[in-house]
Amino acid sequence: MSERAAKITPTDDDEQADDQITDSAAPDAATETEAEADSESTPKPVTNGAESVIRALENAGVEYAFGVQGGAIMPVYDALYDSDITHITMAHEQGASHAADAYGIVAGKPGICLATSGPGATNLVTGLADADMDSDPMVALTGQVATDFVGNDAFQETDTTGVTTPVTKDNTFSTDPDRVGTDVSEAFALASEGRPGPTLVDLPKDITKSDTEVEPDAPKTPDTYEVQEEADPEIVAAAAERIENADRPALLLGGGVIKAEASDVCREFAIEHEIPVITTMPGLGSFPEDHELSMEMAGMHGTGYANMAITHCDTLIGIGTRFDDRLTGGIETFAPDAELIHIDIDPAEISKNIHADYPLIGDAATVVEQLQAAVDSSPQATKWRAQCQQWKSDYSMAYDAPEDRPVQPEFVVEALDEATSDNAIVTTGVGQHQMWACQYWTYTEPRTWVSSHGLGTMGYGLPAAIGARVAADDDQEVICIDGDGSFLMTLQGLSVAVRENLDITVAVLNNEYIGMVRQWQDAFFDGRHSASDYGWMPEFDKLAEAFGAQGYRIDEYDDVADTIQEAIAYDGPSVIDVHIDPQANVYPMVPSGGDNGQFALTEDQL
Amino acid sequence: MTDETYQQGLEGPPPEERPTPAGRRNKQGIRIDPEVEATHEPRRTVISALVKHEPGVLAEASGLFSRRQFNIESLTVGPTKNDDRARITVVVEEPDPGIDQIKKQLRKLLPVISVRELEPDAMRRELALVKVDAHDPAAVNAVADMYDAKTVDSSPETATFEITGARQKINAAVETFSQFGIREISRTGLTALARGTDETAAAPSTDDAASTADKANQQQTQQYTQTTTDD
Ligand SMILES: Cc1ncc(C[n+]2csc(CCOP(=O)(O)OP(=O)(O)O)c2C)c(N)n1
């Protein structure tokens, strides 16, 4: 990644200002720098729609874009040719959308993906739906056939805005070359303002090719978009009183906490008032899991102690969570004794699934600060905290790793965690491996956990690792913990990782099953392994080598630590084919719609 | 499992040895007394939305209803006095929390400017065109008079009437006309406006909207508006 590190962002005004200040002592040098700065800061004027589109991205500070070329998007790519935005050509548009999504999660600003019309645009749909479910900021730019052809089933025409309406925060069909840049600016602003999400601008070829000299407006959301930052003080006061009087309080931190950069205030709040903290899956990293107050993740495959705590609390402070069914289990038995204080930026999340007794609409960081100011005394909950600690030891996540059995997946996840730093980023596919990655990696920092939560998209892991790598700091390791089935879905992305020499390590937890399905078949379908037994898998280490990546294989416990060390040390993409126990299953488990407190610890408890 | 002797899983007290809380929630996620189960019954109500008059807005709104499985009775859209604005009027039948969700989800759509649930006393009208066999013109006209129906077309064999009013009135008219033989019917959905100086759904002033959003939410969640009786 040295090339990337050396790159200077031309849109960084601060840096230019700094240059000028330091150089002012030497008049000659200053004139030179100014002249240079000038040629950089006043780029050549916009001459057509496509240039206006790229200018909008540059104005918004975009540094990277992920995409695939094609007929209808060619004018935009032509304009990109002269830009300082680094484009990463993906092997498939689905990968472009996942990479942009992961970029958005790690960088905290929208990731950009580009695709041509028709098949290019439809290939983005899974990634858009994924970002939409997880409220990740992302902007998709799609080519479209010329407006004269729209509606006539022209070559590579798809009603892209029609197809993507249900899976985007907002989308726009651009119809005016003078407006097209502003459409993109607005899409950019909308993607991260309020509740983040993916936006899309569909760009007909004639619109991007048409002459225009109109510069795009600065990124700004449309007038009809209103976001409430601060919650109603009266309800804050009532909620604060409820917290002060709680016997069994618990905080539930969701992905919104990370998106709102509210992890710090939530940590302070929890620690000051000694309130046990549970996270949702997207909330992993919002609170350090090695802290005594941490109960870790609740839900279907959450820890037993988190599920006991969420079931038995009397006051639940849910922040930036949408109470997804994988978290709540059956509604009837979800935190049935708890009064709910719900903080969310999106009013529609309040009382959608679980009724909120104290609805607090606003930005998570702002509202937690409001609450912090309003809570005068900490709840008296010594007994409750002791109970939580007791549950932590009763339902500890300790597992067996008998020497005479194949390698257990939990052991591999822990070994990867140990071999990397605290700020290492984990991406995953979807399945058992994803759940082990939630359970056995100790997350301590926000924006280090990148996974497909709401949509559950197999194949997310590798393209997400590419996006995360591009957004990450150079000293942050990027580890993709993948399943064999998930990896097969998007492994063509290895060609991108090799071409761009991206330092990522993929650990494929290979069980030659689509394991999560096999687990459910064992539990609920009499062990009939219909279409879940792959029986044969390619040798992923050799496959990696065919792509030009480094390949490793693990068969035994003795190989684990050394091989992982080597793969992580390798400067470039590497793939470890880890042959794990094919029978290994994920526990605890709350069967769908079940009672969180009744989680099974073994199959016969289901 | 292939290996019977190897049972995977975690340690800890089994489910039956764990305490369970006494409380329960209903389907809408509201805590209830398990002894007296309280579910919200669906009710019919009218929601009016002021939207930007732009292509695709109706598709966006109707797509929202179908993909979220909201039970829509009727949906109409038409221009307003302002060329850039259109009004969507929807009749829905849902339990209170569902109605609350519909309003919030509608508000989230970018082209939607404001959303309001109308009071039970709002003015509500539908229109129907009814084409009947007119072999007995006198009798047909007598029925038309009874329902204030206007003749809009007549031929030696048929007469077509326009009837406006509340849904019950139109239903009754259609039923009475059926004695003559109805050839075709075309009906609109319902359209509505609030009474008097009350604004149906207007652009909210910005500072107002922000501070009232969660208050409104709390009021709604505590005390739902009264059930609308059908007129
Ligand atoms: C695109 C997609 N197709 C199907 C599924 C359904 N599904 C969920 S988990 C799973 C098995 C995943 O297998 P693998 O990636 O090998 O991971 P493992 O469970 O074995 O760790 C499947 C098929 C999905 N989540 N995503």
Side-chain angles (χ1 to χ4, degrees):
Chain A
M1 286 305 298
S2 47
E3 257 176 75
R4 185 178 72 79
K7 196 168 162 294
I8 293 159
T9 324
T11 46
D12 196 336
D13 289 336
D14 290 347
E15 212 154 86
Q16 277 164 21
D18 279 355
D19 278 357
Q20 286 170 11
I21 292 161
T22 40
D23 286 343
S24 63
D28 288 348
T31 357
E32 219 182 277
T33 318
E34 256 166 54
E36 261 175 36
D38 244 36
S39 71
E40 272 187 27
S41 64
T42 23
K44 48 183 209 345
V46 160
T47 67
N48 63 25
E51 284 173 16
S52 182
V53 166
I54 298 301
R55 181 62 46 80
L57 296 181
E58 289 168 347
N59 290 350
V62 170
E63 295 170 79
Y64 296 95
F66 305 87
V68 179
Q69 260 281 21
I73 195 79
M74 277 175 73
V76 177
Y77 270 96
D78 189 59
L80 193 59
Y81 195 71
D82 294 326
S83 166
D84 286 309
I85 293 172
T86 304
H87 178 265
I88 295 171
T89 302
M90 300 298 288
H92 186 291
E93 289 87 353
Q94 184 188 350
S97 53
H98 292 324
D101 176 43
Y103 180 93
I105 294 170
V106 174
K109 57 183 184 185
I112 311 293
C113 58
L114 293 113
T116 194
S117 64
T122 55
N123 276 349
L124 290 181
V125 171
T126 305
L128 287 167
D130 197 293
D132 194 48
M133 284 290 252
D134 291 349
S135 308
D136 296 329
M138 172 170 140
V139 178
L141 302 179
T142 49
Q144 183 54 278
V145 300
T147 39
D148 278 355
F149 290 91
V150 168
N152 294 344
D153 305 325
F155 178 62
Q156 296 196 327
E157 183 194 351
T158 295
D159 172 11
T160 302
T161 50
V163 169
T164 59
T165 293
V167 295
T168 49
K169 182 173 172 181
D170 189 51
N171 64 25
T172 308
F173 180 84
S174 280
T175 52
D176 179 357
D178 293 345
R179 262 263 343 163
V180 68
T182 299
D183 286 343
V184 173
S185 295
E186 267 184 13
F188 191 92
L190 256 179
S192 44
E193 184 99 343
R195 178 183 187 160
T199 57
L200 179 144
V201 188
D202 203 24
L203 303 164
K205 196 171 184 178
D206 55 327
I207 302 297
T208 50
K209 273 174 75 178
S210 288
D211 293 344
T212 179
E213 286 170 11
V214 180
E215 292 279 339
D217 291 348
K220 183 180 159 297
T221 55
D223 296 342
T224 55
Y225 189 74
E226 281 163 14
V227 180
Q228 178 175 334
E229 296 288 330
E230 236 177 77
D232 187 294
E234 279 176 38
I235 308 175
V236 170
E241 200 185 319
R242 172 73 212 179
I243 295 169
E244 289 164 6
N245 295 319
D247 294 323
R248 304 187 305 275
L251 272 157
L252 174 66
L253 306 186
V257 169
I258 294 170
K259 293 183 174 36
E261 301 289 355
S263 303
D264 285 346
V265 285
C266 289
R267 288 172 189 212
E268 278 166 33
F269 187 79
I271 292 167
E272 180 178 340
H273 301 295
E274 295 182 88
I275 302 174
V277 181
I278 302 157
T279 70
T280 68
M281 183 161 94
L284 289 177
S286 57
F287 192 81
E289 291 189 316
D290 52 6
H291 193 282
E292 193 186 7
L293 287 170
S294 173
M295 305 300 285
E296 300 165 45
M297 179 180 93
M300 182 177 279
H301 290 297
T303 62
Y305 33 101
N307 280 327
M308 288 304 276
I310 209 164
T311 304
H312 290 270
C313 64
D314 72 350
T315 306
L316 185 63
I317 309 158
I319 310 177
T321 168
R322 61 189 177 86
F323 295 99
D324 178 80
D325 54 276
R326 294 279 140 140
L327 170 79
T328 60
I331 298 291
E332 295 82 0
T333 49
F334 179 72
D337 284 345
E339 288 203 17
L340 175 63
I341 298 165
H342 191 183
I343 301 175
D344 207 287
I345 192 114
D346 181 356
E349 283 310 332
I350 305 280
S351 300
K352 186 183 78 179
N353 294 337
I354 302 293
H355 176 78
D357 302 285
Y358 303 86
L360 296 175
I361 298 165
D363 169 70
T366 312
V367 180
V368 174
E369 274 165 14
Q370 284 181 277
L371 255 190
Q372 177 71 299
V375 174
D376 291 328
S377 59
S378 300
Q380 298 296 305
T382 318
K383 251 175 83 184
W384 167 243
R385 281 190 297 273
Q387 174 66 73
C388 288
Q389 295 307 319
Q390 183 61 44
W391 283 327
K392 272 171 122 173
S393 73
D394 286 350
Y395 301 105
S396 78
M397 295 297 285
Y399 57 90
D400 288 333
E403 276 296 327
D404 59 341
R405 299 282 310 174
V407 175
Q408 297 301 310
E410 298 91 334
F411 185 87
V412 180
V413 173
E414 286 188 336
L416 283 161
D417 189 9
E418 266 160 42
T420 50
S421 55
D422 272 356
N423 65 356
I425 294 172
V426 179
T427 77
T428 71
V430 168
Q432 293 179 312
H433 64 278
Q434 178 190 31
M435 294 301 122
W436 289 315
C438 290
Q439 294 174 333
Y440 291 94
W441 188 286
T442 305
Y443 298 92
T444 55
E445 296 306 324
R447 302 192 186 283
T448 58
W449 163 245
V450 181
S451 192
S452 172
H453 310 106
L455 198 67
T457 307
M458 285 171 73
Y460 181 83
L462 177 62
I466 292 173
R469 174 74 274 165
V470 170
D473 293 338
D474 286 350
D475 66 349
Q476 272 182 297
E477 300 96 346
V478 175
I479 310 293
C480 169
I481 298 176
D482 222 337
D484 44 356
S486 291
F487 188 50
L488 268 185
M489 286 203 176
T490 53
L491 59 71
Q492 71 278 48
L494 273 179
S495 65
V496 180
V498 170
R499 179 185 353 102
E500 305 286 334
N501 192 32
L502 302 176
D503 190 8
I504 57 186
T505 305
V506 183
V508 183
L509 303 188
N510 187 350
N511 51 10
E512 300 204 0
Y513 277 112
I514 47 174
M516 188 58 98
V517 171
R518 200 256 309 124
Q519 174 168 347
W520 283 48
Q521 287 169 333
D522 285 339
F524 310 115
F525 291 89
D526 300 327
R528 289 149 57 88
H529 293 170
S530 177
S532 64
D533 182 351
Y534 277 26
W536 180 86
M537 272 286 165
E539 293 180 68
F540 292 114
D541 50 334
K542 296 196 176 142
L543 195 63
E545 277 163 12
F547 274 101
Q550 197 74 10
Y552 302 92
R553 180 181 167 119
I554 292 177
D555 286 294
E556 291 168 25
Y557 282 107
D558 285 347
D559 304 337
V560 175
D562 291 348
T563 310
I564 285 176
Q565 204 86 52
E566 234 182 286
I568 289 172
Y570 178 74
D571 182 20
S574 58
V575 176
I576 319 173
D577 189 0
V578 192
H579 289 257
I580 58 159
D581 183 349
Q583 307 302 333
N585 279 342
V586 186
Y587 289 102
M589 177 177 187
V590 180
S592 355
D595 175 344
N596 278 344
Q598 300 289 300
F599 51 87
L601 296 164
T602 58
E603 189 179 315
D604 43 273
Q605 288 178 359
L606 280 171
Chain B
M1 289 256 161
T2 47
D3 190 344
E4 295 291 332
T5 55
Y6 184 71
Q7 164 77 59
Q8 283 159 306
L10 298 162
E11 307 273 293
E16 60 277 9
E17 285 172 27
R18 296 175 207 151
T20 28
R24 281 294 176 267
R25 292 180 188 270
N26 67 11
K27 279 201 201 67
Q28 283 98 21
I30 302 171
R31 278 183 311 127
I32 47 162
D33 180 346
E35 308 293 298
V36 255
E37 165 63 321
T39 43
H40 287 267
E41 290 307 316
R43 65 181 172 96
R44 269 170 73 89
T45 191
V46 182
I47 293 170
S48 181
L50 194 65
V51 302
K52 280 192 179 169
H53 199 357
E54 62 184 27
V57 52
L58 184 58
E60 232 184 292
S62 58
L64 169 78
F65 291 121
S66 72
R67 94 177 159 269
R68 292 198 178 263
Q69 297 281 294
F70 293 136
N71 200 354
I72 294 293
E73 300 273 306
S74 101
L75 188 153
T76 61
V77 62
T80 63
K81 65 170 185 185
N82 179 342
D83 287 345
D84 302 333
R85 303 274 183 266
R87 182 178 307 282
I88 295 180
T89 309
V90 266
V91 182
V92 295
E93 188 163 343
E94 283 281 331
D96 281 319
I99 291 169
D100 201 30
Q101 253 308 293
I102 291 175
K103 291 189 276 185
K104 289 169 171 176
Q105 292 293 345
L106 260 179
R107 261 183 216 121
K108 270 173 77 166
L109 300 180
L110 255 290
V112 171
I113 297 153
S114 80
V115 176
R116 202 191 134 176
E117 183 179 351
L118 295 188
E119 299 294 328
D121 73 344
M123 295 167 290
R124 293 180 281 177
R125 291 294 178 272
E126 288 175 45
L127 180 149
L129 291 173
V130 185
K131 189 189 285 184
V132 298
D133 285 327
H135 303 300
D136 184 356
V140 169
N141 282 328
V143 170
D145 279 350
M146 227 162 83
Y147 291 100
D148 278 333
K150 225 166 82 189
T151 315
V152 288
D153 179 53
S154 68
S155 73
E157 285 113 71
T158 65
T160 305
F161 297 99
E162 171 197 318
I163 313 156
T164 58
R167 157 200 277 248
Q168 268 82 348
K169 173 182 159 188
I170 295 174
N171 287 348
V174 167
E175 186 147 320
T176 322
F177 273 125
S178 63
Q179 58 181 297
F180 307 113
I182 293 177
R183 292 198 170 206
E184 282 177 307
I185 296 180
S186 178
R187 287 178 74 157
T188 66
L190 178 141
T191 191
L193 277 184
R195 273 192 193 274
T197 51
D198 210 6
E199 276 194 283
T200 304
S205 73
T206 29
D207 27 315
D208 214 57
S211 66
T212 47
D214 50 6
K215 252 206 191 120
N217 192 77
Q218 194 177 40
Q219 275 158 11
Q220 258 156 18
T221 50
Q222 282 167 354
Q223 181 76 61
Y224 288 100
T225 42
Q226 183 201 331
T227 294
T228 311
T229 50
D230 207 7
D231 52 350

